[in-house]
């Protein structure tokens, strides 16, 4: 049952619920919009300039992580509708592909890369670690409580153990055993 509709001028690439009253959308035209669910009206707009492919909402609903063309990842403060960070450093060999970035536990952010790496940043956007293991571009990552999964165009999915430590650094190790699972 459809309970409401928002009419958009450009093709939407992603949307997420923000609390119980709003939906956040990212569009190919480079705009991030907040919509009122009840009225269907756009209540806030931020022009980000880059063609968006994916957005992820932080666990506290305060920040949106935007994945855009060319491995460009931005952090947006939803309360102020302001760009906090325009690019997370670490990616190399970028082109026109879209690589997804996602929030993880304890303020961490993970993203794949066209160079086959998985990059991990802390809440201050400092690069914490680079994970190597794929032979092709890593287009998506997904966090669970204690695992990070990454998938690449080399036909593999890799899982990485994650243990939160008291120190600033978090440790990631390749999942011991059978190695990467094949994706057909």
């Amino acid at each position: 049952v459809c309970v409401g509709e928002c009419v958009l001028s450009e093709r939407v690439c992603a949307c997420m619920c923000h609390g119980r009253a709003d939906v956040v959308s990212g569009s190919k035209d480079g705009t991030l919009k907040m919509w009122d669910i009840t009225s269907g009206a756009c209540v806030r707009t931020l022009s980000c300039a880059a063609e968006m492919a994916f957005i992820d909402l932080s666990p506290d609903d305060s920040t949106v992580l935007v994945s855009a063309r060319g491995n460009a990842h931005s952090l947006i403060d939803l309360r102020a509708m302001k760009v906090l960070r325009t690019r997370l450093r670490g990616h190399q060999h970028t082109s026109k592909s879209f690589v997804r970035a996602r929030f993880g536990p304890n303020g961490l952010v993970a993203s794949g890369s066209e160079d086959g790496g998985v990059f991990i940043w802390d809440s201050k956007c400092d690069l914490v670690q680079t994970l190597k293991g794929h032979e092709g571009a890593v287009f998506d990552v997904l966090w669970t409580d204690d695992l990070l999964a990454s998938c690449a165009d080399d036909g593999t999915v890799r899982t990485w153990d994650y243990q939160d430590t008291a120190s600033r650094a978090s440790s990631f190790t390749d999942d011991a055993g059978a190695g990467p699972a094949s994706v057909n």
Side-chain angles (χ1 to χ4, degrees):
V1 174
C2 180
V3 294
E5 181 178 79
C6 303
V7 180
L8 307 173
S9 61
E10 291 290 325
R11 196 169 84 188
V12 174
C13 60
C15 67
M16 309 204 80
C17 287
H18 175 250
R20 297 185 55 87
D22 300 312
V23 169
V24 178
S25 68
S27 301
K28 289 186 66 77
D29 69 355
T31 58
L32 187 75
K33 296 183 180 187
M34 189 176 294
W35 303 86
D36 178 270
I37 290 173
T38 306
S39 69
C42 176
V43 293
R44 299 180 91 180
T45 301
L46 177 67
S47 180
C48 298
E51 183 178 347
M52 295 180 197
F54 183 76
I55 59 175
D56 194 24
L57 192 59
S58 65
D60 66 358
D61 287 349
S62 67
T63 309
V64 170
L65 176 59
V66 174
S67 300
R69 185 175 285 279
N71 290 351
H73 303 302
S74 302
L75 291 172
I76 312 290
D77 181 327
L78 277 180
R79 292 173 281 220
M81 263 326 230
K82 174 180 144 183
V83 177
L84 298 173
R85 183 77 157 196
T86 56
R87 190 156 180 97
L88 300 177
R89 303 287 179 215
H91 289 291
Q92 297 177 12
H93 310 295
T94 62
S95 67
K96 296 182 179 184
S97 295
F98 292 110
V99 175
R100 290 182 175 182
R102 297 182 191 258
F103 283 107
N106 303 319
L108 295 175
V109 170
S111 172
S113 182
E114 288 186 37
D115 65 3
V118 175
F119 293 88
I120 312 294
W121 294 273
D122 64 16
S123 60
K124 297 175 187 160
C125 299
D126 293 327
L127 184 62
V128 173
Q129 192 165 6
T130 303
L131 307 174
K132 295 291 184 180
H134 288 286
E135 298 299 320
V138 179
F139 289 114
D140 202 359
V141 295
L142 184 64
W143 293 93
T144 65
D145 292 336
D146 58 354
L147 285 177
L148 174 66
S150 56
C151 63
D153 69 356
D154 63 2
T156 62
V157 172
R158 293 188 68 93
T159 57
W160 311 86
D161 286 328
Y162 165 71
Q163 297 88 34
D164 187 24
T165 61
S167 66
R168 181 176 173 267
S170 300
S171 62
F172 292 85
T173 56
D174 188 287
D175 191 28
S182 199
V183 177
N184 294 321

